[in-house]
Amino acid sequence: MSDSATDAFFSAWRTYRKIVDANYMYHREIGARIEETLRAAFGDSGFSVLDLGCGDASTFAPRLARLAPSRYVGVDLSETALGLAAENAKALPCPAELRREDLLTALAEGDERFDLIHTSFALHHLPTERKAEFFRLAAARLTPRGLLLLTDVMREEDETLPIYFGRYTSWLRSDWGLLTEEEREATCAHLTANDLPETFATLASQAQAAGLAAEPVAAFTWHKLARFSRRA
């Protein structure tokens, strides 16, 4: 990575860490529900984890460390983020493997199955048809008892994408006060240029077409946690 690319990465990463630390996207509440869901599903039995778009793993790894994972595979496109994840994954009570791949490639290559596929605030970057592909590929990589846990921004059922952008950026500008004005505007520009959130109904329909049952778990404004499992 060039010096300029490294500087850009860490500038964006510092902003994202400020957002996480301020809990603007409800990472703490969602993380607690994820931990509760995994404890109920797997108890003290070991379970394997594929973490797609793991980033630096700083929010998910501490949750996993309190459970009983038997294997952890983290996937991200950023080599720099994976370097940070390597440090955070040391807290896990199991072997950890980190791979530099995009999430669809990670699902398409290989045939290993996982008890848990987890992805957080990553799927909304894909266009609608690629999200359908994601569910098809994920379904094939789950064990019979496997779960897919998806944390992401999702539009309300009556929101078009432009309405969502308008409402989200208005809330961001008014409520995310720990960010500088420059950071707020950069975040607004990033999400309006890159984000393609769906409604839960759309994601549930795609999952069902792939043979997965969909269940909403928690919702904090547009920030939602959903659970997908093999249909009986």
Side-chain angles (χ1 to χ4, degrees):
M1 185 180 287
S2 67
D3 289 344
S4 60
T6 300
D7 290 345
F9 171 87
F10 279 110
S11 177
W13 205 255
R14 280 192 295 270
T15 300
Y16 184 67
R17 288 308 318 170
K18 289 174 72 172
I19 293 168
V20 172
D21 292 343
N23 202 38
Y24 289 137
M25 296 173 68
Y26 301 93
H27 283 82
R28 287 197 288 271
E29 292 86 350
I30 291 171
R33 295 301 301 273
I34 288 174
E35 187 174 343
E36 176 185 298
T37 299
L38 294 179
R39 197 175 298 279
F42 301 118
D44 293 328
S45 65
F47 60 97
S48 55
V49 181
L50 176 62
D51 190 10
L52 298 172
C54 65
D56 66 0
S58 63
T59 58
F60 189 42
R63 297 280 181 185
L64 275 182
R66 292 195 286 268
L67 300 167
S70 56
R71 173 163 163 72
Y72 174 86
V73 177
V75 173
D76 202 275
L77 271 175
S78 169
E79 186 174 349
T80 308
L82 290 172
L84 299 172
E87 290 301 310
N88 291 317
K90 290 178 181 178
L92 296 175
C94 66
E97 178 184 348
L98 299 172
R99 303 174 183 169
R100 187 169 183 263
E101 291 179 312
D102 69 80
L103 59 88
L104 291 181
T105 300
L107 288 171
E109 294 182 348
D111 56 7
E112 181 181 0
R113 295 195 175 195
F114 294 87
D115 299 311
L116 172 67
I117 297 176
H118 169 265
T119 186
S120 178
F121 296 114
L123 192 66
H124 67 272
H125 292 122
L126 299 180
T128 301
E129 64 274 12
R130 299 286 274 173
K131 295 186 185 82
E133 182 182 359
F134 165 82
F135 283 110
R136 291 194 297 271
L137 292 171
R141 300 297 295 275
L142 287 173
T143 64
R145 67 170 184 163
L147 296 178
L148 164 62
L149 289 184
L150 168 65
T151 299
D152 216 333
V153 284
M154 301 179 199
R155 290 184 282 121
E156 300 300 335
E157 299 301 327
D158 63 346
E159 283 182 326
T160 63
L161 191 58
I163 289 174
Y164 164 84
F165 283 147
R167 290 174 176 172
Y168 199 104
T169 55
S170 177
W171 168 67
L172 190 159
R173 289 184 173 109
S174 66
D175 285 22
W176 291 24
L178 293 180
L179 269 61
T180 66
E181 182 177 357
E182 181 181 5
E183 289 168 336
R184 289 196 298 271
E185 291 308 312
T187 303
C188 287
H190 172 82
L191 72 88
T192 55
N194 296 283
D195 290 9
L196 296 166
E198 310 290 348
T199 65
F200 174 74
T202 296
L203 297 176
S205 177
Q206 291 180 331
Q208 287 164 3
L212 299 174
E215 177 187 352
V217 177
F220 304 93
T221 64
W222 299 279
H223 313 86
K224 303 183 180 184
L225 171 64
R227 164 184 171 147
F228 303 86
S229 55
R230 291 183 176 277
R231 289 188 296 184

